[in-house]
PDB file of all heavy atoms in Angstrom:
ATOM      1  N   TYR A 358      18.707  36.552   9.556  1.00 98.00           N
ATOM      2  CA  TYR A 358      19.547  37.439  10.369  1.00 98.00           C
ATOM      3  C   TYR A 358      19.609  38.829   9.718  1.00 98.00           C
ATOM      4  O   TYR A 358      19.686  38.946   8.485  1.00 98.00           O
ATOM      5  CB  TYR A 358      20.970  36.853  10.517  1.00 98.00           C
ATOM      6  CG  TYR A 358      21.865  37.181   9.325  1.00 98.00           C
ATOM      7  CD1 TYR A 358      22.698  38.310   9.338  1.00 98.00           C
ATOM      8  CD2 TYR A 358      21.811  36.431   8.171  1.00 98.00           C
ATOM      9  CE1 TYR A 358      23.476  38.652   8.233  1.00 98.00           C
ATOM     10  CE2 TYR A 358      22.581  36.759   7.064  1.00 98.00           C
ATOM     11  CZ  TYR A 358      23.406  37.866   7.101  1.00 98.00           C
ATOM     12  OH  TYR A 358      24.154  38.210   5.995  1.00 98.00           O
ATOM     13  N   GLY A 359      19.575  39.870  10.512  1.00 98.00           N
ATOM     14  CA  GLY A 359      19.718  41.221   9.982  1.00 98.00           C
ATOM     15  C   GLY A 359      18.413  41.907   9.640  1.00 98.00           C
ATOM     16  O   GLY A 359      18.378  43.129   9.502  1.00 98.00           O
ATOM     17  N   THR A 360      17.326  41.130   9.541  1.00 98.00           N
ATOM     18  CA  THR A 360      16.022  41.742   9.276  1.00 98.00           C
ATOM     19  C   THR A 360      15.676  42.690  10.420  1.00 98.00           C
ATOM     20  O   THR A 360      15.122  43.769  10.205  1.00 98.00           O
ATOM     21  CB  THR A 360      14.940  40.646   9.131  1.00 98.00           C
ATOM     22  OG1 THR A 360      15.279  39.830   8.015  1.00 98.00           O
ATOM     23  CG2 THR A 360      13.561  41.250   8.921  1.00 98.00           C
ATOM     24  N   GLU A 361      16.059  42.275  11.646  1.00 98.00           N
ATOM     25  CA  GLU A 361      15.760  43.103  12.817  1.00 98.00           C
ATOM     26  C   GLU A 361      16.518  44.429  12.782  1.00 98.00           C
ATOM     27  O   GLU A 361      16.145  45.386  13.459  1.00 98.00           O
ATOM     28  CB  GLU A 361      16.074  42.335  14.113  1.00 98.00           C
ATOM     29  CG  GLU A 361      17.553  42.076  14.417  1.00 98.00           C
ATOM     30  CD  GLU A 361      18.087  40.778  13.823  1.00 98.00           C
ATOM     31  OE1 GLU A 361      17.726  40.442  12.684  1.00 98.00           O
ATOM     32  OE2 GLU A 361      18.892  40.115  14.508  1.00 98.00           O
ATOM     33  N   ALA A 362      17.593  44.484  11.985  1.00 98.00           N
ATOM     34  CA  ALA A 362      18.391  45.711  11.872  1.00 98.00           C
ATOM     35  C   ALA A 362      18.100  46.429  10.549  1.00 98.00           C
ATOM     36  O   ALA A 362      18.850  47.328  10.157  1.00 98.00           O
ATOM     37  CB  ALA A 362      19.871  45.379  11.986  1.00 98.00           C
ATOM     38  N   LEU A 363      17.036  46.011   9.873  1.00 97.00           N
ATOM     39  CA  LEU A 363      16.659  46.596   8.585  1.00 97.00           C
ATOM     40  C   LEU A 363      17.820  46.597   7.587  1.00 97.00           C
ATOM     41  O   LEU A 363      18.048  47.572   6.865  1.00 97.00           O
ATOM     42  CB  LEU A 363      16.113  48.021   8.768  1.00 97.00           C
ATOM     43  CG  LEU A 363      14.734  48.124   9.430  1.00 97.00           C
ATOM     44  CD1 LEU A 363      14.377  49.577   9.726  1.00 97.00           C
ATOM     45  CD2 LEU A 363      13.640  47.496   8.559  1.00 97.00           C
ATOM     46  N   LEU A 364      18.534  45.477   7.526  1.00 97.00           N
ATOM     47  CA  LEU A 364      19.584  45.342   6.520  1.00 97.00           C
ATOM     48  C   LEU A 364      18.928  45.411   5.139  1.00 97.00           C
ATOM     49  O   LEU A 364      17.817  44.948   4.944  1.00 97.00           O
ATOM     50  CB  LEU A 364      20.310  44.009   6.675  1.00 97.00           C
ATOM     51  CG  LEU A 364      21.519  43.936   7.590  1.00 97.00           C
ATOM     52  CD1 LEU A 364      22.206  42.586   7.456  1.00 97.00           C
ATOM     53  CD2 LEU A 364      22.515  45.047   7.273  1.00 97.00           C
ATOM     54  N   GLU A 365      19.673  45.993   4.198  1.00 95.00           N
ATOM     55  CA  GLU A 365      19.171  46.089   2.832  1.00 95.00           C
ATOM     56  C   GLU A 365      19.997  45.218   1.907  1.00 95.00           C
ATOM     57  O   GLU A 365      21.076  44.763   2.273  1.00 95.00           O
ATOM     58  CB  GLU A 365      19.251  47.537   2.343  1.00 95.00           C
ATOM     59  CG  GLU A 365      18.321  48.467   3.094  1.00 95.00           C
ATOM     60  CD  GLU A 365      18.341  49.863   2.491  1.00 95.00           C
ATOM     61  OE1 GLU A 365      18.007  49.987   1.292  1.00 95.00           O
ATOM     62  OE2 GLU A 365      18.687  50.808   3.200  1.00 95.00           O
ATOM     63  N   GLY A 366      19.535  45.052   0.694  1.00 96.00           N
ATOM     64  CA  GLY A 366      20.283  44.296  -0.301  1.00 96.00           C
ATOM     65  C   GLY A 366      19.358  43.382  -1.072  1.00 96.00           C
ATOM     66  O   GLY A 366      18.590  42.641  -0.473  1.00 96.00           O
ATOM     67  N   GLU A 367      19.433  43.479  -2.399  1.00 95.00           N
ATOM     68  CA  GLU A 367      18.495  42.687  -3.195  1.00 95.00           C
ATOM     69  C   GLU A 367      18.995  41.275  -3.507  1.00 95.00           C
ATOM     70  O   GLU A 367      18.428  40.307  -3.056  1.00 95.00           O
ATOM     71  CB  GLU A 367      18.140  43.443  -4.469  1.00 95.00           C
ATOM     72  CG  GLU A 367      17.183  44.598  -4.170  1.00 95.00           C
ATOM     73  CD  GLU A 367      16.377  44.992  -5.379  1.00 95.00           C
ATOM     74  OE1 GLU A 367      16.918  45.698  -6.246  1.00 95.00           O
ATOM     75  OE2 GLU A 367      15.204  44.589  -5.452  1.00 95.00           O
ATOM     76  N   TYR A 368      20.056  41.195  -4.296  1.00 93.00           N
ATOM     77  CA  TYR A 368      20.488  39.852  -4.697  1.00 93.00           C
ATOM     78  C   TYR A 368      21.911  39.573  -4.221  1.00 93.00           C
ATOM     79  O   TYR A 368      22.680  40.498  -3.966  1.00 93.00           O
ATOM     80  CB  TYR A 368      20.354  39.683  -6.212  1.00 93.00           C
ATOM     81  CG  TYR A 368      18.905  39.663  -6.641  1.00 93.00           C
ATOM     82  CD1 TYR A 368      18.273  40.815  -7.121  1.00 93.00           C
ATOM     83  CD2 TYR A 368      18.139  38.500  -6.504  1.00 93.00           C
ATOM     84  CE1 TYR A 368      16.931  40.795  -7.470  1.00 93.00           C
ATOM     85  CE2 TYR A 368      16.798  38.478  -6.854  1.00 93.00           C
ATOM     86  CZ  TYR A 368      16.204  39.624  -7.341  1.00 93.00           C
ATOM     87  OH  TYR A 368      14.869  39.609  -7.672  1.00 93.00           O
ATOM     88  N   ASP A 369      22.231  38.267  -4.139  1.00 93.00           N
ATOM     89  CA  ASP A 369      23.551  37.795  -3.799  1.00 93.00           C
ATOM     90  C   ASP A 369      24.608  38.607  -4.562  1.00 93.00           C
ATOM     91  O   ASP A 369      24.507  38.724  -5.772  1.00 93.00           O
ATOM     92  CB  ASP A 369      23.587  36.305  -4.201  1.00 93.00           C
ATOM     93  CG  ASP A 369      24.918  35.655  -3.950  1.00 93.00           C
ATOM     94  OD1 ASP A 369      25.739  36.253  -3.249  1.00 93.00           O
ATOM     95  OD2 ASP A 369      25.122  34.542  -4.462  1.00 93.00           O
ATOM     96  N   PRO A 370      25.610  39.207  -3.914  1.00 94.00           N
ATOM     97  CA  PRO A 370      25.963  39.045  -2.510  1.00 94.00           C
ATOM     98  C   PRO A 370      25.423  40.144  -1.571  1.00 94.00           C
ATOM     99  O   PRO A 370      25.652  40.047  -0.382  1.00 94.00           O
ATOM    100  CB  PRO A 370      27.486  39.142  -2.558  1.00 94.00           C
ATOM    101  CG  PRO A 370      27.758  40.132  -3.646  1.00 94.00           C
ATOM    102  CD  PRO A 370      26.666  39.947  -4.654  1.00 94.00           C
ATOM    103  N   VAL A 371      24.703  41.146  -2.092  1.00 96.00           N
ATOM    104  CA  VAL A 371      24.350  42.268  -1.203  1.00 96.00           C
ATOM    105  C   VAL A 371      23.211  41.950  -0.229  1.00 96.00           C
ATOM    106  O   VAL A 371      22.950  42.718   0.695  1.00 96.00           O
ATOM    107  CB  VAL A 371      24.031  43.560  -1.997  1.00 96.00           C
ATOM    108  CG1 VAL A 371      25.277  44.105  -2.656  1.00 96.00           C
ATOM    109  CG2 VAL A 371      22.908  43.348  -2.991  1.00 96.00           C
ATOM    110  N   ASN A 372      22.526  40.819  -0.442  1.00 97.00           N
ATOM    111  CA  ASN A 372      21.511  40.413   0.544  1.00 97.00           C
ATOM    112  C   ASN A 372      22.140  39.531   1.637  1.00 97.00           C
ATOM    113  O   ASN A 372      21.439  38.921   2.427  1.00 97.00           O
ATOM    114  CB  ASN A 372      20.347  39.674  -0.131  1.00 97.00           C
ATOM    115  CG  ASN A 372      20.809  38.465  -0.932  1.00 97.00           C
ATOM    116  OD1 ASN A 372      22.002  38.210  -1.057  1.00 97.00           O
ATOM    117  ND2 ASN A 372      19.863  37.716  -1.475  1.00 97.00           N
ATOM    118  N   ARG A 373      23.497  39.496   1.640  1.00 98.00           N
ATOM    119  CA  ARG A 373      24.199  38.654   2.628  1.00 98.00           C
ATOM    120  C   ARG A 373      25.284  39.448   3.353  1.00 98.00           C
ATOM    121  O   ARG A 373      26.316  38.887   3.737  1.00 98.00           O
ATOM    122  CB  ARG A 373      24.869  37.472   1.902  1.00 98.00           C
ATOM    123  CG  ARG A 373      23.907  36.646   1.072  1.00 98.00           C
ATOM    124  CD  ARG A 373      24.652  35.659   0.198  1.00 98.00           C
ATOM    125  NE  ARG A 373      23.726  34.723  -0.418  1.00 98.00           N
ATOM    126  CZ  ARG A 373      24.095  33.623  -1.070  1.00 98.00           C
ATOM    127  NH1 ARG A 373      25.371  33.332  -1.197  1.00 98.00           N
ATOM    128  NH2 ARG A 373      23.197  32.823  -1.588  1.00 98.00           N
ATOM    129  N   THR A 374      25.090  40.743   3.495  1.00 97.00           N
ATOM    130  CA  THR A 374      26.127  41.561   4.124  1.00 97.00           C
ATOM    131  C   THR A 374      26.247  41.228   5.616  1.00 97.00           C
ATOM    132  O   THR A 374      25.372  40.599   6.199  1.00 97.00           O
ATOM    133  CB  THR A 374      25.836  43.059   3.952  1.00 97.00           C
ATOM    134  OG1 THR A 374      24.501  43.299   4.381  1.00 97.00           O
ATOM    135  CG2 THR A 374      25.999  43.485   2.500  1.00 97.00           C
ATOM    136  N   PHE A 375      27.350  41.688   6.200  1.00 98.00           N
ATOM    137  CA  PHE A 375      27.650  41.332   7.587  1.00 98.00           C
ATOM    138  C   PHE A 375      26.655  41.958   8.560  1.00 98.00           C
ATOM    139  O   PHE A 375      26.218  43.091   8.387  1.00 98.00           O
ATOM    140  CB  PHE A 375      29.077  41.753   7.951  1.00 98.00           C
ATOM    141  CG  PHE A 375      29.699  40.867   8.992  1.00 98.00           C
ATOM    142  CD1 PHE A 375      30.307  39.677   8.620  1.00 98.00           C
ATOM    143  CD2 PHE A 375      29.645  41.197  10.335  1.00 98.00           C
ATOM    144  CE1 PHE A 375      30.860  38.824   9.587  1.00 98.00           C
ATOM    145  CE2 PHE A 375      30.184  40.358  11.296  1.00 98.00           C
ATOM    146  CZ  PHE A 375      30.801  39.166  10.922  1.00 98.00           C
ATOM    147  N   MET A 376      26.302  41.201   9.571  1.00 98.00           N
ATOM    148  CA  MET A 376      25.365  41.676  10.604  1.00 98.00           C
ATOM    149  C   MET A 376      25.948  42.895  11.322  1.00 98.00           C
ATOM    150  O   MET A 376      27.073  42.839  11.824  1.00 98.00           O
ATOM    151  CB  MET A 376      25.136  40.540  11.605  1.00 98.00           C
ATOM    152  CG  MET A 376      24.263  40.906  12.772  1.00 98.00           C
ATOM    153  SD  MET A 376      22.521  40.996  12.298  1.00 98.00           S
ATOM    154  CE  MET A 376      21.828  41.414  13.890  1.00 98.00           C
ATOM    155  N   PRO A 377      25.209  44.012  11.357  1.00 97.00           N
ATOM    156  CA  PRO A 377      25.721  45.176  12.089  1.00 97.00           C
ATOM    157  C   PRO A 377      25.460  45.017  13.592  1.00 97.00           C
ATOM    158  O   PRO A 377      24.347  44.741  14.002  1.00 97.00           O
ATOM    159  CB  PRO A 377      24.883  46.322  11.520  1.00 97.00           C
ATOM    160  CG  PRO A 377      23.622  45.696  11.043  1.00 97.00           C
ATOM    161  CD  PRO A 377      23.886  44.245  10.759  1.00 97.00           C
ATOM    162  N   TRP A 378      26.499  45.211  14.379  1.00 97.00           N
ATOM    163  CA  TRP A 378      26.348  45.022  15.829  1.00 97.00           C
ATOM    164  C   TRP A 378      26.528  46.334  16.603  1.00 97.00           C
ATOM    165  O   TRP A 378      26.391  46.337  17.840  1.00 97.00           O
ATOM    166  CB  TRP A 378      27.357  43.993  16.345  1.00 97.00           C
ATOM    167  CG  TRP A 378      27.042  42.598  15.885  1.00 97.00           C
ATOM    168  CD1 TRP A 378      27.683  41.894  14.908  1.00 97.00           C
ATOM    169  CD2 TRP A 378      25.984  41.745  16.372  1.00 97.00           C
ATOM    170  NE1 TRP A 378      27.092  40.655  14.752  1.00 97.00           N
ATOM    171  CE2 TRP A 378      26.054  40.540  15.643  1.00 97.00           C
ATOM    172  CE3 TRP A 378      24.992  41.889  17.348  1.00 97.00           C
ATOM    173  CZ2 TRP A 378      25.175  39.478  15.856  1.00 97.00           C
ATOM    174  CZ3 TRP A 378      24.123  40.833  17.554  1.00 97.00           C
ATOM    175  CH2 TRP A 378      24.216  39.651  16.820  1.00 97.00           C
ATOM    176  N   ALA A 379      26.836  47.425  15.884  1.00 93.00           N
ATOM    177  CA  ALA A 379      27.164  48.674  16.577  1.00 93.00           C
ATOM    178  C   ALA A 379      26.006  49.194  17.416  1.00 93.00           C
ATOM    179  O   ALA A 379      26.194  49.740  18.501  1.00 93.00           O
ATOM    180  CB  ALA A 379      27.596  49.729  15.569  1.00 93.00           C
ATOM    181  N   SER A 380      24.779  49.034  16.908  1.00 92.00           N
ATOM    182  CA  SER A 380      23.636  49.502  17.702  1.00 92.00           C
ATOM    183  C   SER A 380      22.535  48.451  17.635  1.00 92.00           C
ATOM    184  O   SER A 380      22.573  47.556  16.796  1.00 92.00           O
ATOM    185  CB  SER A 380      23.120  50.828  17.153  1.00 92.00           C
ATOM    186  OG  SER A 380      22.748  50.655  15.812  1.00 92.00           O
ATOM    187  N   ASP A 381      21.545  48.583  18.501  1.00 93.00           N
ATOM    188  CA  ASP A 381      20.429  47.637  18.513  1.00 93.00           C
ATOM    189  C   ASP A 381      19.624  47.775  17.240  1.00 93.00           C
ATOM    190  O   ASP A 381      19.405  48.880  16.747  1.00 93.00           O
ATOM    191  CB  ASP A 381      19.510  47.922  19.714  1.00 93.00           C
ATOM    192  CG  ASP A 381      20.122  47.387  21.002  1.00 93.00           C
ATOM    193  OD1 ASP A 381      21.148  46.688  20.912  1.00 93.00           O
ATOM    194  OD2 ASP A 381      19.580  47.691  22.078  1.00 93.00           O
ATOM    195  N   GLY A 382      19.184  46.671  16.701  1.00 97.00           N
ATOM    196  CA  GLY A 382      18.345  46.698  15.504  1.00 97.00           C
ATOM    197  C   GLY A 382      17.041  47.436  15.770  1.00 97.00           C
ATOM    198  O   GLY A 382      16.442  47.279  16.831  1.00 97.00           O
ATOM    199  N   GLU A 383      16.620  48.218  14.770  1.00 97.00           N
ATOM    200  CA  GLU A 383      15.423  49.048  14.935  1.00 97.00           C
ATOM    201  C   GLU A 383      14.157  48.236  15.180  1.00 97.00           C
ATOM    202  O   GLU A 383      13.225  48.689  15.830  1.00 97.00           O
ATOM    203  CB  GLU A 383      15.212  49.874  13.658  1.00 97.00           C
ATOM    204  CG  GLU A 383      15.423  51.357  13.857  1.00 97.00           C
ATOM    205  CD  GLU A 383      15.032  52.126  12.612  1.00 97.00           C
ATOM    206  OE1 GLU A 383      15.830  52.138  11.647  1.00 97.00           O
ATOM    207  OE2 GLU A 383      13.937  52.694  12.609  1.00 97.00           O
ATOM    208  N   LEU A 384      14.112  47.022  14.616  1.00 98.00           N
ATOM    209  CA  LEU A 384      12.888  46.228  14.748  1.00 98.00           C
ATOM    210  C   LEU A 384      12.945  45.225  15.903  1.00 98.00           C
ATOM    211  O   LEU A 384      12.023  44.432  16.075  1.00 98.00           O
ATOM    212  CB  LEU A 384      12.593  45.495  13.437  1.00 98.00           C
ATOM    213  CG  LEU A 384      12.271  46.376  12.222  1.00 98.00           C
ATOM    214  CD1 LEU A 384      11.882  45.512  11.027  1.00 98.00           C
ATOM    215  CD2 LEU A 384      11.147  47.360  12.530  1.00 98.00           C
ATOM    216  N   VAL A 385      14.014  45.278  16.694  1.00 98.00           N
ATOM    217  CA  VAL A 385      14.132  44.325  17.805  1.00 98.00           C
ATOM    218  C   VAL A 385      12.929  44.387  18.757  1.00 98.00           C
ATOM    219  O   VAL A 385      12.333  43.349  19.076  1.00 98.00           O
ATOM    220  CB  VAL A 385      15.477  44.505  18.556  1.00 98.00           C
ATOM    221  CG1 VAL A 385      15.466  43.752  19.874  1.00 98.00           C
ATOM    222  CG2 VAL A 385      16.638  44.035  17.683  1.00 98.00           C
ATOM    223  N   PRO A 386      12.505  45.590  19.192  1.00 98.00           N
ATOM    224  CA  PRO A 386      11.354  45.618  20.109  1.00 98.00           C
ATOM    225  C   PRO A 386      10.080  45.027  19.490  1.00 98.00           C
ATOM    226  O   PRO A 386       9.338  44.310  20.159  1.00 98.00           O
ATOM    227  CB  PRO A 386      11.160  47.118  20.401  1.00 98.00           C
ATOM    228  CG  PRO A 386      12.485  47.738  20.092  1.00 98.00           C
ATOM    229  CD  PRO A 386      13.058  46.935  18.968  1.00 98.00           C
TER     230      PRO A 386
END
Side-chain angles (χ1 to χ4, degrees):
Y358 83 93
T360 298
E361 70 271 40
L363 289 173
L364 271 188
E365 294 185 60
E367 285 204 281
Y368 291 97
D369 178 13
V371 292
N372 56 356
R373 304 170 170 191
T374 51
F375 210 84
M376 176 75 179
W378 290 105
S380 59
D381 283 352
E383 248 187 282
L384 295 185
V385 167

